[in-house]
Amino acid sequence: EQEALARRRTSLGIPAGRKVVVYLGLLAPYQGTDVLLEAAPHVLQERDDVHFLIMGFPAVDRYKYIAHQRGLTDHVTFMGKVPYHQARDLLATGDVAVAPKLSATEGSGKILNYMATGLPTVAFDTPVSREYLGEEGIFAQPGDPLSLAQALLAGLSESPEDRRRQGERLRRMAVASFSLDRAAETIFQAYGMVCQP
């Protein structure tokens, strides 16, 4: 696994020895992409061994330009649209995942993907993020790039063993509460209540 991970990181142009922050989702202001790119320079001021792997679309060229303007080019890889069947392996290249969505009420399926992959997850402290991550999330003040940077640094400063344990707890939570089997059970229960004679 470690050798395969190192090869995958190399193939993505991520320099050896870097800690990787992964993002998978739409690129848009309401998704927090702008705030993430505001937070990144603050992270890199504290440690220059961090790389951001940003997977998603649209507006890739716009966000590449913003990253370039902020001096992030050597520390950010934009992959554009990623086939869903590749998501797991690409997410596995990360040390920490980030979900900076600004909406306080809209769902955030990316968090469930992060949890299922066993990634410690940084998110804005919103009701939806809390519902998914519980006490296992690493939370930042909504919309605040400095707070997001601090949360990312906190996640990255954990030991590999601590990150692994936290990721395992998140994966167990995802399987117990948000798996397809659990969702099907909930749907059948709902139909059972509605369709009773």
Side-chain angles (χ1 to χ4, degrees):
E1 284 288 344
Q2 290 303 314
E3 288 180 10
L5 178 60
R7 286 194 301 272
R8 192 175 304 124
R9 286 184 173 190
T10 299
S11 72
L12 295 170
I14 299 171
R18 292 218 176 149
K19 300 292 182 195
V20 179
V21 175
V22 291
Y23 172 88
L24 175 63
L26 292 174
L27 306 184
Y30 82 97
Q31 291 284 347
T33 313
D34 297 71
V35 181
L36 176 59
L37 292 179
E38 285 182 64
H42 298 291
V43 172
L44 295 171
Q45 282 176 1
E46 296 294 321
R47 51 186 305 170
D48 64 359
D49 65 339
V50 178
H51 199 90
F52 294 84
L53 179 60
I54 299 178
M55 299 169 276
F57 71 103
V60 175
D61 289 339
R62 174 180 179 267
Y63 285 110
K64 280 184 180 179
Y65 178 76
I66 292 171
H68 174 74
Q69 292 294 104
R70 294 190 175 147
L72 302 172
T73 304
D74 294 337
H75 289 270
V76 180
T77 299
F78 289 92
M79 292 198 61
K81 189 173 184 177
V82 170
Y84 191 75
H85 70 275
Q86 294 178 10
R88 182 199 66 141
D89 289 343
L90 291 167
L91 287 174
T93 63
D95 294 287
V96 172
V98 62
K101 182 178 268 189
L102 297 171
S103 171
T105 57
E106 185 178 274
S108 187
K110 67 177 64 65
I111 291 178
L112 296 178
N113 284 322
Y114 298 160
M115 292 171 70
T117 308
L119 282 169
T121 300
V122 173
F124 284 134
D125 194 352
T126 64
V128 173
S129 297
R130 282 277 178 187
E131 182 179 346
Y132 289 147
L133 295 165
E135 295 304 311
E136 294 298 333
I138 305 166
F139 294 106
Q141 291 301 311
D144 184 338
L146 283 173
S147 180
L148 182 60
Q150 290 164 357
L152 287 166
L153 287 165
L156 292 166
S157 69
E158 295 289 334
S159 70
E161 183 61 24
D162 286 342
R163 283 197 305 271
R164 184 187 62 75
R165 281 196 293 263
Q166 185 180 29
E168 287 175 352
R169 291 192 297 271
L170 285 167
R171 178 166 169 72
R172 283 195 298 272
M173 288 168 56
V175 170
S177 299
F178 302 107
S179 68
L180 289 177
D181 289 343
R182 182 73 180 106
E185 180 183 323
T186 302
I187 290 168
F188 282 127
Q189 286 176 354
Y191 274 125
M193 291 168 45
V194 171
C195 297
Q196 285 182 353

